[in-house]
Amino acid sequence: MTPAPASPDESPADLGSTLTRSQRLDRLPFTRKHGKLLGASGIGWALDAMDVGLISFVIAALSVHWGISKGDGSLIASAGFAGMAIGASVGGLLADRIGRRSVFALTLLVYGLATGASALAMGVGALIALRFVVGLGLGAELPVASTLMSEFAPARIRGRVIVWLEAFWALGWILAAVIGTFVAASGPTGWRWVLAVGLVPAAYSLVVRWGMPESVRFLEQKGRHDEAESVVRSFEESAGLDAGAASADSSAHTACESAHAAGGSGHAADGSGHAAGGSEAPAARAAATVSAAAPSAVGEVPAADTVRTGGIWSTALRARTAGLWAVWFCINLAYYGAFIWIPTLLVERGFSLTQSFTFTLIITLAQIPGYAMAAWLIEVLGRRWTLTVFLAGSAVAATCYGLADSEATIIAAGCALSFFNLGAWGALYAIGPELYPTAVRGTGTGAAAAFGRIASMLAPFLVPVLVVAGGQVLAFVAFAIAFALAAAAAFTLPEQRGRALAE
């Protein structure tokens, strides 16, 4: 990582230990600019969730209005997941080559246009083909967005920020449930209007492409140092640091570390910081706040994280890659097996289409407190324990849902499943990008997501088989086992709380 440019007055000794641009980002507080980036990424995330959620309502509606079989419904769902598997892998590779922002915008454009075109489908075959194209964009968008946000979030709250990002998934699903309940169930053509809403991401792609910054780490990897410096300074200015104050702060922090190493009190560094900007100036006060937090905020990079050769299956990374892949596979199998089929399975239990969609909407609302709890715990218990606990809770809730036999127990168990499962998703997206160095971060997160999509392709076909063999009880017990296996795999992952992202 290239060090930040030093001020003209810095000594050669200071030049060697000046904070890198990544460290300058890590030490900042959460600013308005971080909030704008989170909001922009989150809207894309919510639109993705809305599309994934809407297809479950579309399948339920088509089973009533077109009389499609469970096999046709499975093909429609699995076609999208097949596209997501390819999209996640290719998207991650492209993000490491052409940039996170560009791939993010491209994915929104692809799946937005394809979803809108799906509204015009005249048969199951056309809908299946278009869902595959939709999946290409959906699969690439999620790991790329989480990688981009991870590379900007301050180190001390990175996990919490990524759970906040993942919480936008709940907003998208709630929006899908509302649209599904009041539009998809409105009549024979309601599902077409539902899919027409999917054009929104295509328009939003322009906002992403021209309104979001590119990853500083990516820019430096490509030798675009002037652009990287410009982005970092814009975030420092948002924190109340002008260019001069930021540079002085960097020098002051270096001098302070040197003084402590020599056994000094550090007052000389403090004095130089005051001299640089004036003790009462807002920029100087901001610089002092940031400087004081810097040592703990920047954190340390574990030796395994500094690997630069061998890719995600190198000796240093293979164990975490295997563990991450296992979690992704099991959580996808259980999550999509359950939530894609819940509206249809409720109809099979004798509930009307409107009742089914209403129950699903209520269950979906429980995602919000799940994300909120995960966002708090992830910086208290850490990533590994938070992910493990929420996956274990998902296993218990899935078993309870399979055994539920009344409206009250169905809704209660469904809400518990929604709470724990989506909290687990938040923790998973937080830990993934932290496991890899910059050169393979997009590849690592994308490859794990792609492997998980194999399970999401299998899940829609697995559910009808399990229901025929042993009813809904067997199906949800199988999901509980998958969640339990994911919890075991999650516990093997290294704890990354408070650690700097590897370069």
Short mmCIF file of all heavy atoms in Angstrom, two decimals, residues 244-308:
data_model
loop_
_atom_site.label_atom_id
_atom_site.label_comp_id
_atom_site.label_asym_id
_atom_site.label_seq_id
_atom_site.Cartn_x
_atom_site.Cartn_y
_atom_site.Cartn_z
N GLY A 244 -4.42 20.22 4.79
CA GLY A 244 -3.28 20.57 5.62
C GLY A 244 -3.36 19.92 6.99
O GLY A 244 -2.40 19.39 7.52
N ALA A 245 -4.59 19.93 7.56
CA ALA A 245 -4.77 19.33 8.88
C ALA A 245 -4.54 17.84 8.84
O ALA A 245 -3.95 17.24 9.74
CB ALA A 245 -6.17 19.63 9.41
N ALA A 246 -5.04 17.19 7.74
CA ALA A 246 -4.85 15.75 7.62
C ALA A 246 -3.39 15.39 7.53
O ALA A 246 -2.91 14.44 8.14
CB ALA A 246 -5.60 15.24 6.38
N SER A 247 -2.63 16.19 6.76
CA SER A 247 -1.21 15.92 6.62
C SER A 247 -0.49 16.13 7.93
O SER A 247 0.35 15.35 8.34
CB SER A 247 -0.62 16.83 5.53
OG SER A 247 0.76 16.60 5.39
N ALA A 248 -0.84 17.21 8.64
CA ALA A 248 -0.21 17.49 9.92
C ALA A 248 -0.54 16.42 10.94
O ALA A 248 0.30 16.00 11.73
CB ALA A 248 -0.66 18.86 10.44
N ASP A 249 -1.80 15.96 10.87
CA ASP A 249 -2.20 14.90 11.79
C ASP A 249 -1.41 13.63 11.56
O ASP A 249 -1.01 12.95 12.50
CB ASP A 249 -3.70 14.62 11.62
CG ASP A 249 -4.13 13.36 12.34
OD1 ASP A 249 -4.03 13.35 13.58
OD2 ASP A 249 -4.55 12.41 11.67
N SER A 250 -1.19 13.30 10.29
CA SER A 250 -0.43 12.10 9.97
C SER A 250 0.97 12.20 10.54
O SER A 250 1.50 11.25 11.13
CB SER A 250 -0.38 11.90 8.45
OG SER A 250 0.31 10.73 8.14
N SER A 251 1.61 13.37 10.41
CA SER A 251 2.95 13.57 10.94
C SER A 251 2.94 13.52 12.47
O SER A 251 3.83 12.95 13.10
CB SER A 251 3.51 14.93 10.49
OG SER A 251 3.58 14.97 9.09
N ALA A 252 1.92 14.13 13.08
CA ALA A 252 1.83 14.16 14.53
C ALA A 252 1.67 12.75 15.08
O ALA A 252 2.26 12.38 16.09
CB ALA A 252 0.64 15.03 14.97
N HIS A 253 0.85 11.93 14.39
CA HIS A 253 0.65 10.56 14.84
C HIS A 253 1.96 9.78 14.79
O HIS A 253 2.28 9.02 15.70
CB HIS A 253 -0.41 9.88 13.97
CG HIS A 253 -0.59 8.43 14.28
ND1 HIS A 253 -0.91 7.96 15.52
CD2 HIS A 253 -0.48 7.34 13.47
CE1 HIS A 253 -1.00 6.65 15.49
NE2 HIS A 253 -0.73 6.25 14.26
N THR A 254 2.72 9.99 13.71
CA THR A 254 4.01 9.32 13.58
C THR A 254 4.96 9.72 14.69
O THR A 254 5.62 8.89 15.32
CB THR A 254 4.64 9.66 12.21
OG1 THR A 254 3.77 9.21 11.18
CG2 THR A 254 5.99 8.99 12.05
N ALA A 255 5.03 11.02 14.97
CA ALA A 255 5.93 11.52 16.01
C ALA A 255 5.51 10.99 17.38
O ALA A 255 6.34 10.64 18.22
CB ALA A 255 5.92 13.05 16.02
N CYS A 256 4.19 10.90 17.59
CA CYS A 256 3.69 10.40 18.87
C CYS A 256 4.10 8.95 19.08
O CYS A 256 4.54 8.57 20.16
CB CYS A 256 2.16 10.52 18.90
SG CYS A 256 1.41 10.03 20.47
N GLU A 257 3.98 8.13 18.02
CA GLU A 257 4.38 6.73 18.13
C GLU A 257 5.87 6.62 18.43
O GLU A 257 6.30 5.80 19.23
CB GLU A 257 4.03 5.98 16.84
CG GLU A 257 2.55 5.67 16.69
CD GLU A 257 2.31 4.77 15.51
OE1 GLU A 257 3.08 4.85 14.53
OE2 GLU A 257 1.36 3.97 15.56
N SER A 258 6.69 7.47 17.77
CA SER A 258 8.13 7.43 17.97
C SER A 258 8.49 7.82 19.41
O SER A 258 9.36 7.22 20.04
CB SER A 258 8.82 8.39 17.00
OG SER A 258 8.56 8.00 15.67
N ALA A 259 7.78 8.82 19.95
CA ALA A 259 8.05 9.27 21.31
C ALA A 259 7.73 8.18 22.32
O ALA A 259 8.48 7.93 23.26
CB ALA A 259 7.22 10.52 21.62
N HIS A 260 6.60 7.48 22.11
CA HIS A 260 6.24 6.39 23.02
C HIS A 260 7.25 5.26 22.93
O HIS A 260 7.59 4.63 23.92
CB HIS A 260 4.83 5.88 22.71
CG HIS A 260 3.76 6.75 23.28
ND1 HIS A 260 3.52 6.86 24.63
CD2 HIS A 260 2.86 7.58 22.66
CE1 HIS A 260 2.51 7.69 24.84
NE2 HIS A 260 2.10 8.15 23.66
N ALA A 261 7.72 4.98 21.73
CA ALA A 261 8.69 3.89 21.55
C ALA A 261 9.99 4.21 22.29
O ALA A 261 10.68 3.32 22.79
CB ALA A 261 8.96 3.66 20.07
N ALA A 262 10.35 5.50 22.36
CA ALA A 262 11.59 5.91 23.02
C ALA A 262 11.41 6.13 24.52
O ALA A 262 12.33 6.48 25.22
CB ALA A 262 12.11 7.20 22.38
N GLY A 263 10.17 5.97 24.98
CA GLY A 263 9.90 6.13 26.41
C GLY A 263 9.46 7.53 26.75
O GLY A 263 9.33 7.87 27.91
N GLY A 264 9.21 8.37 25.70
CA GLY A 264 8.78 9.73 25.98
C GLY A 264 7.30 9.80 26.25
O GLY A 264 6.58 8.83 26.13
N SER A 265 6.86 10.98 26.64
CA SER A 265 5.46 11.15 27.02
C SER A 265 4.56 11.43 25.85
O SER A 265 3.37 11.33 25.95
CB SER A 265 5.34 12.30 28.03
OG SER A 265 5.74 13.52 27.41
N GLY A 266 5.12 11.83 24.71
CA GLY A 266 4.29 12.14 23.55
C GLY A 266 3.84 13.57 23.52
O GLY A 266 3.10 13.95 22.64
N HIS A 267 4.26 14.40 24.46
CA HIS A 267 3.80 15.79 24.47
C HIS A 267 4.35 16.56 23.29
O HIS A 267 3.72 17.51 22.81
CB HIS A 267 4.19 16.47 25.78
CG HIS A 267 3.43 15.96 26.96
ND1 HIS A 267 2.08 16.12 27.08
CD2 HIS A 267 3.85 15.28 28.08
CE1 HIS A 267 1.67 15.57 28.23
NE2 HIS A 267 2.74 15.06 28.84
N ALA A 268 5.54 16.19 22.82
CA ALA A 268 6.10 16.91 21.67
C ALA A 268 5.23 16.75 20.46
O ALA A 268 4.99 17.68 19.71
CB ALA A 268 7.52 16.38 21.38
N ALA A 269 4.71 15.52 20.28
CA ALA A 269 3.82 15.30 19.14
C ALA A 269 2.56 16.13 19.30
O ALA A 269 2.03 16.69 18.35
CB ALA A 269 3.47 13.81 19.03
N ASP A 270 2.05 16.15 20.53
CA ASP A 270 0.83 16.92 20.78
C ASP A 270 1.08 18.38 20.47
O ASP A 270 0.26 19.06 19.87
CB ASP A 270 0.40 16.72 22.23
CG ASP A 270 -0.86 17.48 22.56
OD1 ASP A 270 -1.89 17.15 21.93
OD2 ASP A 270 -0.82 18.38 23.42
N GLY A 271 2.26 18.86 20.84
CA GLY A 271 2.57 20.26 20.58
C GLY A 271 2.68 20.54 19.11
O GLY A 271 2.22 21.57 18.63
N SER A 272 3.29 19.64 18.35
CA SER A 272 3.40 19.88 16.92
C SER A 272 2.04 19.90 16.27
O SER A 272 1.80 20.61 15.31
CB SER A 272 4.29 18.81 16.28
OG SER A 272 3.67 17.53 16.37
N GLY A 273 1.11 19.05 16.80
CA GLY A 273 -0.23 19.05 16.24
C GLY A 273 -0.90 20.38 16.47
O GLY A 273 -1.56 20.91 15.59
N HIS A 274 -0.73 20.95 17.64
CA HIS A 274 -1.34 22.26 17.91
C HIS A 274 -0.71 23.32 17.03
O HIS A 274 -1.38 24.21 16.54
CB HIS A 274 -1.16 22.63 19.39
CG HIS A 274 -2.10 21.89 20.27
ND1 HIS A 274 -3.43 22.17 20.34
CD2 HIS A 274 -1.89 20.87 21.16
CE1 HIS A 274 -4.03 21.38 21.22
NE2 HIS A 274 -3.10 20.57 21.73
N ALA A 275 0.60 23.24 16.84
CA ALA A 275 1.28 24.25 16.04
C ALA A 275 0.82 24.21 14.60
O ALA A 275 0.76 25.23 13.93
CB ALA A 275 2.80 24.05 16.13
N ALA A 276 0.50 23.03 14.12
CA ALA A 276 0.14 22.91 12.71
C ALA A 276 -1.17 23.58 12.40
O ALA A 276 -1.36 24.12 11.32
CB ALA A 276 0.07 21.42 12.31
N GLY A 277 -2.16 23.52 13.32
CA GLY A 277 -3.45 24.04 12.93
C GLY A 277 -4.10 24.96 13.93
O GLY A 277 -5.18 25.46 13.68
N GLY A 278 -3.50 25.21 15.09
CA GLY A 278 -4.14 26.06 16.08
C GLY A 278 -5.03 25.25 16.98
O GLY A 278 -5.85 24.47 16.53
N SER A 279 -4.89 25.44 18.28
CA SER A 279 -5.57 24.57 19.23
C SER A 279 -7.08 24.70 19.18
O SER A 279 -7.78 23.79 19.58
CB SER A 279 -5.07 24.86 20.65
OG SER A 279 -5.33 26.21 20.99
N GLU A 280 -7.59 25.81 18.70
CA GLU A 280 -9.03 26.01 18.72
C GLU A 280 -9.67 25.84 17.36
O GLU A 280 -10.88 25.93 17.23
CB GLU A 280 -9.36 27.42 19.25
CG GLU A 280 -8.91 27.66 20.68
CD GLU A 280 -9.49 26.64 21.64
OE1 GLU A 280 -10.67 26.28 21.47
OE2 GLU A 280 -8.76 26.20 22.54
N ALA A 281 -8.88 25.64 16.31
CA ALA A 281 -9.47 25.52 14.98
C ALA A 281 -10.26 24.22 14.86
O ALA A 281 -9.83 23.19 15.36
CB ALA A 281 -8.36 25.53 13.92
N PRO A 282 -11.44 24.24 14.19
CA PRO A 282 -12.24 23.02 14.05
C PRO A 282 -11.46 21.90 13.40
O PRO A 282 -11.56 20.74 13.82
CB PRO A 282 -13.42 23.49 13.17
CG PRO A 282 -13.52 24.95 13.42
CD PRO A 282 -12.12 25.42 13.63
N ALA A 283 -10.69 22.21 12.36
CA ALA A 283 -9.92 21.18 11.67
C ALA A 283 -8.91 20.54 12.61
O ALA A 283 -8.69 19.33 12.59
CB ALA A 283 -9.22 21.76 10.45
N ALA A 284 -8.27 21.39 13.47
CA ALA A 284 -7.27 20.85 14.39
C ALA A 284 -7.92 19.97 15.45
O ALA A 284 -7.37 18.94 15.84
CB ALA A 284 -6.52 22.00 15.07
N ARG A 285 -9.11 20.38 15.93
CA ARG A 285 -9.81 19.55 16.91
C ARG A 285 -10.20 18.21 16.30
O ARG A 285 -10.09 17.16 16.95
CB ARG A 285 -11.06 20.28 17.44
CG ARG A 285 -10.73 21.46 18.34
CD ARG A 285 -11.96 21.88 19.14
NE ARG A 285 -13.05 22.32 18.28
CZ ARG A 285 -13.20 23.58 17.88
NH1 ARG A 285 -12.33 24.51 18.24
NH2 ARG A 285 -14.22 23.91 17.13
N ALA A 286 -10.65 18.24 15.04
CA ALA A 286 -11.01 16.99 14.36
C ALA A 286 -9.78 16.13 14.19
O ALA A 286 -9.82 14.91 14.38
CB ALA A 286 -11.63 17.29 13.00
N ALA A 287 -8.65 16.78 13.82
CA ALA A 287 -7.40 16.04 13.63
C ALA A 287 -6.96 15.39 14.93
O ALA A 287 -6.50 14.26 14.96
CB ALA A 287 -6.30 16.96 13.11
N ALA A 288 -7.09 16.12 16.05
CA ALA A 288 -6.68 15.58 17.34
C ALA A 288 -7.54 14.38 17.72
O ALA A 288 -7.04 13.38 18.24
CB ALA A 288 -6.79 16.65 18.41
N THR A 289 -8.86 14.47 17.43
CA THR A 289 -9.76 13.36 17.74
C THR A 289 -9.40 12.13 16.94
O THR A 289 -9.32 11.02 17.46
CB THR A 289 -11.23 13.76 17.43
OG1 THR A 289 -11.57 14.88 18.23
CG2 THR A 289 -12.18 12.60 17.73
N VAL A 290 -9.17 12.33 15.64
CA VAL A 290 -8.83 11.22 14.77
C VAL A 290 -7.50 10.62 15.17
O VAL A 290 -7.32 9.41 15.22
CB VAL A 290 -8.80 11.67 13.29
CG1 VAL A 290 -8.21 10.59 12.42
CG2 VAL A 290 -10.20 12.03 12.83
N SER A 291 -6.52 11.49 15.46
CA SER A 291 -5.18 11.01 15.83
C SER A 291 -5.22 10.18 17.10
O SER A 291 -4.55 9.16 17.22
CB SER A 291 -4.24 12.19 16.01
OG SER A 291 -2.93 11.77 16.34
N ALA A 292 -6.02 10.61 18.07
CA ALA A 292 -6.09 9.89 19.33
C ALA A 292 -6.69 8.50 19.15
O ALA A 292 -6.33 7.56 19.84
CB ALA A 292 -6.94 10.68 20.33
N ALA A 293 -7.60 8.39 18.18
CA ALA A 293 -8.25 7.09 17.95
C ALA A 293 -7.45 6.20 17.03
O ALA A 293 -7.71 5.01 16.94
CB ALA A 293 -9.65 7.31 17.35
N ALA A 294 -6.47 6.76 16.33
CA ALA A 294 -5.82 6.04 15.24
C ALA A 294 -5.19 4.71 15.61
O ALA A 294 -5.41 3.73 14.92
CB ALA A 294 -4.77 6.95 14.59
N PRO A 295 -4.41 4.62 16.70
CA PRO A 295 -3.75 3.35 16.95
C PRO A 295 -4.71 2.18 17.08
O PRO A 295 -4.48 1.13 16.51
CB PRO A 295 -3.00 3.61 18.27
CG PRO A 295 -2.77 5.09 18.28
CD PRO A 295 -3.99 5.67 17.65
N SER A 296 -5.82 2.33 17.82
CA SER A 296 -6.76 1.24 17.98
C SER A 296 -7.65 1.09 16.77
O SER A 296 -8.12 0.00 16.46
CB SER A 296 -7.63 1.46 19.22
OG SER A 296 -8.35 2.67 19.11
N ALA A 297 -7.89 2.20 16.05
CA ALA A 297 -8.79 2.14 14.90
C ALA A 297 -8.16 1.43 13.73
O ALA A 297 -8.81 0.69 13.00
CB ALA A 297 -9.19 3.56 14.48
N VAL A 298 -6.86 1.65 13.52
CA VAL A 298 -6.19 1.06 12.37
C VAL A 298 -6.03 -0.44 12.56
O VAL A 298 -6.22 -1.23 11.66
CB VAL A 298 -4.82 1.73 12.15
CG1 VAL A 298 -4.02 0.98 11.11
CG2 VAL A 298 -5.03 3.17 11.70
N GLY A 299 -5.71 -0.89 13.75
CA GLY A 299 -5.59 -2.32 14.03
C GLY A 299 -4.34 -2.93 13.41
O GLY A 299 -3.47 -2.23 12.89
N GLU A 300 -4.26 -4.25 13.48
CA GLU A 300 -3.12 -4.97 12.94
C GLU A 300 -3.60 -5.97 11.90
O GLU A 300 -4.72 -6.47 11.95
CB GLU A 300 -2.38 -5.72 14.05
CG GLU A 300 -1.77 -4.80 15.11
CD GLU A 300 -1.06 -5.59 16.19
OE1 GLU A 300 -1.16 -6.83 16.16
OE2 GLU A 300 -0.42 -4.96 17.04
N VAL A 301 -2.74 -6.26 10.95
CA VAL A 301 -3.05 -7.24 9.91
C VAL A 301 -2.37 -8.55 10.27
O VAL A 301 -1.15 -8.61 10.36
CB VAL A 301 -2.55 -6.77 8.52
CG1 VAL A 301 -2.88 -7.82 7.47
CG2 VAL A 301 -3.20 -5.44 8.16
N PRO A 302 -3.12 -9.64 10.52
CA PRO A 302 -2.51 -10.92 10.85
C PRO A 302 -1.60 -11.41 9.72
O PRO A 302 -1.81 -11.08 8.55
CB PRO A 302 -3.72 -11.86 11.02
CG PRO A 302 -4.87 -10.95 11.28
CD PRO A 302 -4.58 -9.69 10.53
N ALA A 303 -0.60 -12.21 10.06
CA ALA A 303 0.37 -12.68 9.07
C ALA A 303 -0.30 -13.41 7.92
O ALA A 303 0.07 -13.25 6.75
CB ALA A 303 1.39 -13.59 9.75
N ALA A 304 -1.32 -14.21 8.20
CA ALA A 304 -1.99 -14.98 7.15
C ALA A 304 -2.68 -14.08 6.14
O ALA A 304 -2.86 -14.45 4.99
CB ALA A 304 -3.01 -15.94 7.77
N ASP A 305 -3.07 -12.88 6.59
CA ASP A 305 -3.81 -11.98 5.71
C ASP A 305 -2.91 -11.24 4.73
O ASP A 305 -3.40 -10.56 3.83
CB ASP A 305 -4.59 -10.94 6.54
CG ASP A 305 -5.68 -11.59 7.38
OD1 ASP A 305 -5.89 -12.80 7.20
OD2 ASP A 305 -6.28 -10.90 8.20
N THR A 306 -1.62 -11.32 4.90
CA THR A 306 -0.71 -10.55 4.04
C THR A 306 -0.26 -11.35 2.82
O THR A 306 0.57 -10.88 2.06
CB THR A 306 0.54 -10.11 4.82
OG1 THR A 306 1.24 -11.29 5.29
CG2 THR A 306 0.15 -9.25 6.02
N VAL A 307 -0.79 -12.55 2.61
CA VAL A 307 -0.39 -13.37 1.48
C VAL A 307 -0.68 -12.65 0.17
O VAL A 307 -1.71 -12.02 0.01
CB VAL A 307 -1.13 -14.74 1.51
CG1 VAL A 307 -2.62 -14.56 1.36
CG2 VAL A 307 -0.59 -15.64 0.40
N ARG A 308 0.25 -12.71 -0.76
CA ARG A 308 0.09 -12.01 -2.03
C ARG A 308 0.12 -12.96 -3.23
O ARG A 308 -0.11 -12.55 -4.35
CB ARG A 308 1.19 -10.96 -2.20
CG ARG A 308 1.09 -9.83 -1.17
CD ARG A 308 2.16 -8.77 -1.40
NE ARG A 308 2.06 -7.72 -0.41
CZ ARG A 308 1.25 -6.67 -0.51
NH1 ARG A 308 0.49 -6.54 -1.56
NH2 ARG A 308 1.22 -5.76 0.43
#
